[in-house]
Amino acid sequence: MSLLEIKNLHAVVDGKQILNGLNLTVERGQVAAIMGPNGSGKSTLSYVLAGRPGYEVTQGEILLNGENLLGLDPDVRAAKGVFLAFQYPMEVPGVATMTFLRTALNAQRKARGESELTTPEFLKRVREAAAQLGISQEMLRRGVNVGFSGGEKKRNEILQMAMLEPKLAILDETDSGLDIDALKIVSDGVNRLRAPDRGMIVITHYQRLLDYIVPDVVHVLWKGRVVKTGGKELAHELEAKGYAEFQGEAA
Amino acid sequence: MTATVRPIRAVKTAAEAALADTYAAAKALLPGLPAAREQAFRRFEAQGLPHRRVEAWKYTDLRALMRDAKPLAAPPGAEAKARAKQGGAIFASVEARRLVFVDGAFVPELSDLSAEAGLSIMPMAQALASGDALVARHVGQVLDIDDPAVALNTALMGDGIVIKVAAGATVARPVMIVFAHSGERPVSVFTRSLVVVEPKAKLTLVETHEGAADDQINAVMELIVGDDAEVDHLKIAANRKGALQVATLIVSIGARAKFNDFAGATGGSVTRNQIFARLAGENAVCHFSGANLLQGHQHVDTTLVVEHVRPGCESRELYKSVLDGESRGVFQGRITVQAEAQKTDARMATHALLLSENAEADAKPELEIFADDVQCGHGATAGALDEDLLFYLKARGIPPKEAEALMVTAFVGEVVERVAHEGLRDSLLAAADGWLQARSA
Ligand SMILES: Nc1ncnc2c1ncn2[C@@H]1O[C@H](COP(=O)(O)OP(=O)(O)OP(=O)(O)O)[C@@H](O)[C@H]1O
Ligand SMILES: [Mg+2]
C-alpha cells in the first residue's frame, strides 16, 4: 500500500473547477517534487489535502495509508500525519509560538492515544529543533509569525514540521522568499526529516531548491492534472525549456 | 402629528414606587448625611430609573430591566457569613489584604484589619454615623456627577469601605474588597466606598462583586489619586445569573499620577460598569481597560467618561468583549479634552469578538476636543473569529474548540496583560480559561 494515493481528484473553489482528474501517488520514504506554472493548482492541491474549508472535492479520492481522508476535519488529518507548510504562513497575534507548538503537539498525541510530553521533554525538543533552524528563544516567545520576516516565517513552518513529525509533509513553495543561506538552513531541516516511513511533497518553481532537497520523482502539474512524471533531471529540463511543451494539453 | 408636552415623570414604575417606599422607610435608620441623602433622592425621583431615551443609558434600559426593586438587605446572620467564606475565589491564590462584605455589610471577623503604617481602614457605615471628617469632605464630592444610579446610591448608601493611604506610603499587598452575597433571598445592596490615596503613595485595589441570583447591586466607589501617586484598580463582576449590577467608579487623578483601571465581567445578567474619570493634574498617565466574557442572555454595558483637564496627560482606553449566545456587549466611551489640556495624548479602542450570530456588540466612542494641540483617536471593531487563522491552527492538529479557545485567550490576553500585578493577572487568565473550558464542555 502506498503512503498517499490520489485518484481522479476533481476540486472546485468558489465555483471554479481547479483540479481536473489529478492522479498522484507518494510512497513512504519518497520525496516527490511538484512543479507547474502559476495557477496550475499546486496550492489548491495542498489545501485539499489539508482539508481547508471552501475547497470542495467533487470527484475522486484521497487515501492516506489506504484510509480515505475526504470528509475528515483538518485537525483529524493532522493527527493522522498530514502536515502542510503554507506558501503564505499566517500570523497569529497573542498566541506564542511556544504555546502553539505545545498545544498542537499534545493535541495530536492525545488524538493518537499517546501521552502528552512532559515540559522538560518538550522544551528540550523545541530548543534543539529551533537552534538547528536558527530560530531564537525570543522568536519562540513572540506571537506565531508576528513580526517575522518572510524567511523567518518559512523557517518557523519547518520548525513546526520538525516538532510534529508528520507522515506526509507538503511543502508549498517553502523556498520562496529565502536568501541563499536560509535556503540552505531550511533544506538541511527538511533533509533531516527524510525518513523511510515519511513521504514529502515539495512544491517549487525552482530547480535550485531541488539541488538541496534532491527529489526521488518530479511531477508536472498543468491545469489541475499531473501531465508528466520523471526523475530529478525533469526539473532541469523544465528549468531550461519552461512549460511550452504542455501548451496543447487539454484541461 | 401634534406635539404634546408631557410631564416627564407621569407614572412611577413598580420598581420606582418600591424604591420610594424603601427610602421613606429606611431614611431615619440610614447612617449619616440626611440632607445629602434627601437631596439625592429628590434628584433621582425627578429623573426616575434611566431608560433608553436617556442618552447615557440608551443601551441599558433600567426601567425595563428592573421589574421590581428588591428589599434592602438585612445585616448578615451567622449562616450568611459562613457562606461568604468562599468569596473572592477568583483571586484565592493572591496574597492580599481581604476586606469582606456580606450582603453589603462589612464583616470584621472575616477581614484582615491588621495594622500597616500609612494605611487606615474604616467601614463606611461607621464613618457616616460618626461624622468622619474624610467622609464628610469627600463623599459625593469627588466629582460632580449627575447620574440617577449614583444619586440613588447616595440616598440609600449603607456600608462600604473607607481607605486612606498616607502620603508617600506604599501598601504592601493588594487590598481586596470582597463583596460576597449570601443568596438567602434576593436583596438590593447599596455600597459606597471612598478611597483616598495621598500624594506619592502606592496602592493596588481590587473589588470582586459576587451577587446572588436576582440580587440588585448598586456599588459606587469614589477614588482620589493624589499627585505622583500610583494606583492600580481592578473590579470583577462575578455575579450569579439573574443578578443586576450597576457599579460606578468616580475617580479624580492628580498631577503626574499613574492610574490603571481594569474592569472584568463574566457573570450576572445585567452589568452596567460606569467610570467617570477626571485627569485633574498635569502629566498623569492613565490606562482604562476592560474585558468581558459573556454568554446566554448576559448584558454588559461599559460607559466611560474621561475628562482631560490639564496639559500633558496620557490616557489609553481599551475594552474587549467576547460575546457568545445571545449576549450583548455595549461600550460607550467619551473622552473630553478641555481647552487648557494641550498636549493630551488619548487613544480609545473597543473590540468585540462575536462567537455566535445572535450576539450583539454596540459601540459608541466619542471625542470632544476643545484644545488644539492634542493627539486623540478612537477605533471600534466587531467581528467573528478569523476562519483562515482557525484553519491554520486546525491544520496543526488543534481541535476546533481548542483553536477557538486559543484565539479567544489571545484576544482578551492583550487587555489582561495590562494588569501589572502578576498574581492578579494570572488569576484573570485562569478565569478566562475556566470560562472557555466551561463553554466547550
Ligand atoms: N478562492 C478562489 N476563488 C477563485 N479562484 C481561485 C481561488 N483560489 C484559487 N483560485 C484559482 O485557482 C487557480 C489555482 O490556484 P493555486 O493557488 O492552486 O495555483 P498555484 O499552482 O499554487 O500557483 P502559484 O504558483 O502562483 O502559487 C488559480 O487560477 C487561482 O486564481
Ligand atoms: Mg501556490
Side-chain angles (χ1 to χ4, degrees), chain A residues 84-146:
Chain A
L84 167 62
F86 284 61
Q87 183 173 359
Y88 304 107
M90 293 169 204
E91 298 188 7
V92 195
V95 180
T97 305
M98 206 69 137
T99 310
F100 176 65
L101 284 171
R102 187 169 187 163
T103 309
L105 187 58
N106 282 333
Q108 289 200 15
R109 294 179 68 97
K110 196 170 153 199
R112 292 194 292 261
E114 300 163 12
S115 64
E116 296 195 349
L117 282 189
T118 64
T119 304
E121 268 178 305
F122 170 78
L123 289 176
K124 183 166 172 285
R125 283 179 53 177
V126 185
R127 291 212 180 101
E128 273 174 21
Q132 283 174 330
L133 290 162
I135 294 172
S136 68
Q137 294 297 306
E138 185 273 324
M139 283 165 76
L140 292 176
R141 282 190 295 270
R142 254 193 266 166
V144 176
N145 293 329
V146 176

Side-chain angles (χ1 to χ4, degrees), chain A residues 23-25 30 32-33 216-221 226-234 246:
Chain A
N23 293 298
L24 179 72
T25 300
Q30 192 180 57
D216 299 300
V217 53
V218 176
H219 302 282
V220 179
L221 195 64
V226 174
V227 293
K228 190 166 184 178
T229 296
K232 59 177 189 273
E233 64 290 343
L234 178 53
F246 307 106

Side-chain angles (χ1 to χ4, degrees), chain B residues 32-277:
Chain B
L33 302 180
R37 289 176 187 279
E38 188 63 23
Q39 195 191 9
F41 193 79
R42 295 302 150 224
R43 215 190 230 202
F44 166 74
E45 216 175 20
Q47 307 168 63
L49 285 168
H51 49 84
R52 65 196 150 79
R53 287 187 305 281
V54 176
E55 189 59 23
W57 286 81
K58 77 184 231 189
Y59 298 102
T60 302
D61 187 332
L62 275 194
R63 194 189 286 176
L65 290 164
M66 278 179 66
R67 295 272 154 70
D68 57 4
K70 307 298 181 204
L72 285 183
E79 204 178 310
K81 290 178 188 174
R83 288 203 219 180
K85 289 208 169 117
Q86 300 124 35
I90 162 172
F91 296 122
S93 63
V94 178
E95 168 68 11
R97 175 189 289 275
R98 287 183 167 70
L99 303 170
V100 178
F101 289 75
V102 175
D103 296 338
F106 185 62
V107 182
E109 63 268 32
L110 294 177
S111 300
D112 178 352
L113 291 168
S114 58
E116 180 171 347
L119 177 65
S120 346
I121 298 171
M122 191 194 276
M124 178 61 92
Q126 186 189 327
L128 283 167
S130 66
D132 177 80
L134 195 71
V135 162
R137 195 156 112 223
H138 295 301
V139 165
Q141 291 159 67
V142 171
L143 300 180
D144 184 17
I145 302 297
D146 184 14
D147 175 82
V150 173
L152 192 60
N153 183 284
T154 303
L156 287 162
M157 60 190 171
D159 208 347
I161 204 77
V162 180
I163 295 173
K164 190 179 96 174
V165 184
T170 295
V171 179
R173 296 171 292 163
V175 174
M176 192 172 293
I177 312 166
V178 177
F179 290 104
H181 286 242
S182 69
E184 281 173 343
R185 64 190 70 78
V187 292
S188 67
V189 163
F190 296 86
T191 59
R192 182 71 162 240
S193 298
L194 172 68
V195 178
V196 179
V197 182
E198 293 189 337
K200 294 196 166 74
K202 290 182 189 168
L203 174 69
T204 296
L205 183 66
V206 181
E207 295 175 65
T208 68
H209 294 271
E210 299 162 57
D214 301 318
D215 281 350
Q216 294 172 342
I217 301 162
N218 181 327
V220 173
M221 173 177 285
E222 289 175 283
L223 170 61
I224 297 172
V225 180
D227 292 349
D228 303 289
E230 292 179 23
V231 176
D232 286 0
H233 172 242
L234 260 81
K235 179 165 59 188
I236 303 300
N239 301 300
R240 289 287 168 98
K241 189 173 173 187
L244 180 149
Q245 168 171 328
V246 180
T248 308
L249 173 69
I250 297 168
V251 57
S252 168
I253 300 140
R256 299 165 307 277
K258 293 193 170 68
F259 177 60
N260 293 310
D261 186 66
F262 178 93
T266 53
S269 285
V270 177
T271 305
R272 160 96 168 184
N273 233 329
Q274 1 185 46
I275 298 162
F276 301 98

